[in-house]
Structure formats: C-alpha cells, structure tokens
Amino acid sequence: MPETTLAAAAIRWYDENARDLPWREPDVGAWAILVSEIMLQQTPVVRVLPAWRAWLSRWPTPAALAADTPAEAIRMWGRLGYPRRALRLRECAVAIVERHSGVVPTDLDALLALPGVGTYTARAVATFAYGQRHPVVDTNVRRFVARAVAGEPDAGPATRPADLVATEALLPAEPVRAARASAAFMELGALICTARTPRCADCPVTEVCAWRASGRPAPTGPTRRPQQYAGTDRQVRGLLLAVLREATGPVPHERLDLVWADAAQRSRALAGLVADGLVELVGDACVLAGDRPG
C-alpha cells in the first residue's frame, strides 16, 4: 500500500468520523488554533473545551492578551493544569504583537521563535491554521505511524527526527491535502490506534497495517505508568495557586499554611511557583505574577 494511499484512506475516514471540535471550524483563525494547541498539551479535550471558549471570549486576539497582566492569564487558566503554559501563552502574545504586528506568523521559523512554541506546536499551527505541508507529530501520530508503517507496537517516549521523516513521507504533495492527512493521522491515533485498547477492526488501514500483520506484538520496553497526582508537589502547587487566584490582594503566608499540613512540602511547592514565575513574594505575603500592589 503506497504511503499516499494510506493517507487517502485516513482522510476518507476522517471526513466521516472526525470529532466536531470548535478549533477545527473553517473560519477559526490562527490565534484560536494556537491557543487550542497550547491548552491541549497533556490535557484531555473535554477539559480544554470550556477553557478555550472562555479564553478566546476574553482575549480574542494576541493584542488583547498582551495588554493584560500575567496574573490575569494565570487566573483565567484556572485548574487546567501545568499553569506555566498560561505564562508562555501570554509571552507568546506579547512577542506576536511586538514582532508581527499582532498577527500569528505564517512562517515556520517565525513560529518556532515564539516563546513557548516548540517543534510540534509550530508545525501544528502552520499546518492547521495556514494549510501548509509539515509533519505534525504528537504521541498519537507517532504511535499510528510506528504501527501502520514500521510494525512497531509503540514509538518510544519522545519525538525523534526519524519520526518527522517517517510522517512526512506519508503526506500528500498538495499542502491542503497534506494538512488534512495530518489531522487524520492524529485523530486515528487518538480514537482508534490507542495505546492500550486499539480498535483495529474499525481502522481504515487495518488490512495493510504492518503491526497487525505481524500479530500485534506487545512492547518490549518498560511500560510507562500514569503520573500520580494525589499527595505530590503538583497537587500542593495547585492548592496554593487556587488560593492566590481567588484573592484580591496579597495573601499572607499564614493563609497559605492552611492548604497543606506538611510544612516542608508546602515550602518546596511555593518555592517552585516563585522560581517558575507564577508567584511573587511581597514582604510576608504572596501574589500572582504581575499582581504586585502599586
């Protein structure tokens, strides 16, 4: 099965089965797509949907966000998780205003130069917002390509240059068609070619999948365990940020002491928030970044 035929089968399936997500609407601009890509990192779609809508309702353009404070970005991020993304997104908005007159750039190198925009996000925006031909490779795409083409049960823990090359080889030559294929590969990996319970019977390329043809061998390396949350520094950081998000002024340390009994872990979590630029110290109190009085 030639690679272009694999892409054609994936696109046909996508046209009939793709989820109806708002950032996929034809009139959605590059800024909205950039916001969705940042929010979707390590976060399920169901949690991103309301946050994405609220964010764009408040800040429909990069200029609108750039004009607001980091503290408001952190507040608006709410409990979406990994709140440093809120700061990176605001820094990105500032750079777009300063370097590109408030318009998300179309050039891949310019996208890569934006704060907080990495290899995947830059290619995703160039592809899904501007219809360019780039390999857009996330965990789902790597797994789908590894199985369908190489016959491997998984693709490893991180994206390698070889993953970009293998995915690009599958893309149709025509840019808009290639962008459609990229979206299809991603959707197949997310819904059908899943890590634990792949639905091979529903896959449009099942008859030619190299992994299925080889008997669906199991991974030989160590299995990644889901990250724990309860009791971790991440949980404590979230509890501290929740108090600061609701506050209208500096929060004394005594108030923060109430959120977690373990003083050493609480202190470590707070120090991490300060180091990450999410929280500022004001005397014997704390505020969100950019919320310092005066």
Side-chain angles (χ1 to χ4, degrees), residues 3-15 18 24 123 127-128 131-138 140-142 144-145 166-190 204-205:
E3 286 83 355
T4 53
T5 305
L6 187 149
I11 291 171
R12 285 195 298 270
W13 174 89
Y14 181 80
D15 288 344
R24 290 176 174 168
R123 284 172 168 77
T127 298
F128 302 139
Q132 298 176 16
R133 186 184 186 276
H134 299 289
V136 183
V137 182
D138 69 352
N140 292 319
V141 173
R142 285 192 296 111
F144 171 74
V145 173
T167 304
E168 185 171 15
L170 300 174
L171 299 178
E174 201 277 317
V176 174
R177 183 78 171 168
R180 195 73 172 170
S182 291
F185 297 159
M186 192 173 299
E187 194 78 339
L188 278 168
V205 304

Side-chain angles (χ1 to χ4, degrees), residues 20-281:
D20 183 16
L21 300 176
W23 45 81
R24 290 176 174 168
E25 295 296 326
D27 59 343
V28 170
W31 171 241
I33 290 174
L34 174 58
V35 172
S36 75
E37 292 295 343
I38 298 294
M39 287 186 169
L40 286 165
Q41 295 169 10
Q42 298 178 285
T43 308
V45 167
V46 67
R47 293 184 61 201
V48 168
L49 281 167
W52 181 84
R53 291 190 175 99
W55 189 279
L56 289 171
S57 176
R58 179 165 181 175
W59 299 305
T61 65
L65 176 57
D68 218 328
T69 65
E72 288 307 302
I74 297 168
R75 284 195 177 91
M76 199 68 177
W77 198 259
R79 303 195 63 109
L80 200 56
Y82 303 97
R84 278 179 292 179
R85 291 181 292 169
L87 291 182
R88 300 294 87 79
L89 193 47
R90 184 184 173 276
E91 291 169 3
C92 186
V94 171
I96 291 171
V97 170
E98 293 177 348
R99 304 175 194 172
H100 305 287
S101 302
V103 178
V104 177
T106 62
D107 179 71
L108 181 60
D109 288 337
L111 286 165
L112 286 166
L114 294 174
V117 174
T119 297
Y120 165 78
T121 303
R123 284 172 168 77
V125 173
T127 298
F128 302 139
Y130 295 120
Q132 298 176 16
R133 186 184 186 276
H134 299 289
V136 183
V137 182
D138 69 352
T139 300
N140 292 319
V141 173
R142 285 192 296 111
R143 183 173 58 252
F144 171 74
V145 173
R147 288 175 176 173
V149 178
E152 299 173 356
D154 209 341
T159 300
R160 305 161 298 174
D163 297 319
L164 295 174
V165 173
T167 304
E168 185 171 15
L170 300 174
L171 299 178
E174 201 277 317
V176 174
R177 183 78 171 168
R180 195 73 172 170
S182 291
F185 297 159
M186 192 173 299
E187 194 78 339
L188 278 168
L191 301 183
I192 302 296
C193 195
T194 58
R196 296 186 179 182
T197 55
R199 296 162 46 199
C200 294
D202 298 324
C203 180
V205 304
T206 188
E207 294 301 325
V208 293
C209 174
W211 182 59
R212 184 175 179 273
S214 61
R216 303 195 350 169
T220 56
T223 301
R224 286 190 297 170
R225 297 180 179 179
Q227 287 185 328
Q228 298 295 320
Y229 180 74
T232 64
D233 285 4
R234 279 188 59 214
Q235 183 184 16
V236 183
R237 285 164 58 102
L239 293 171
L240 293 170
L241 278 180
V243 173
L244 293 168
R245 281 198 306 268
E246 297 297 325
T248 56
V251 177
H253 285 279
E254 290 79 6
R255 170 66 184 87
L256 295 177
D257 290 348
L258 300 177
V259 306
W260 197 256
D262 186 329
Q265 187 176 22
R266 189 177 63 245
S267 178
R268 184 171 64 245
L270 181 59
L273 292 172
V274 173
D276 289 341
L278 292 162
V279 171
E280 296 178 6
L281 301 179

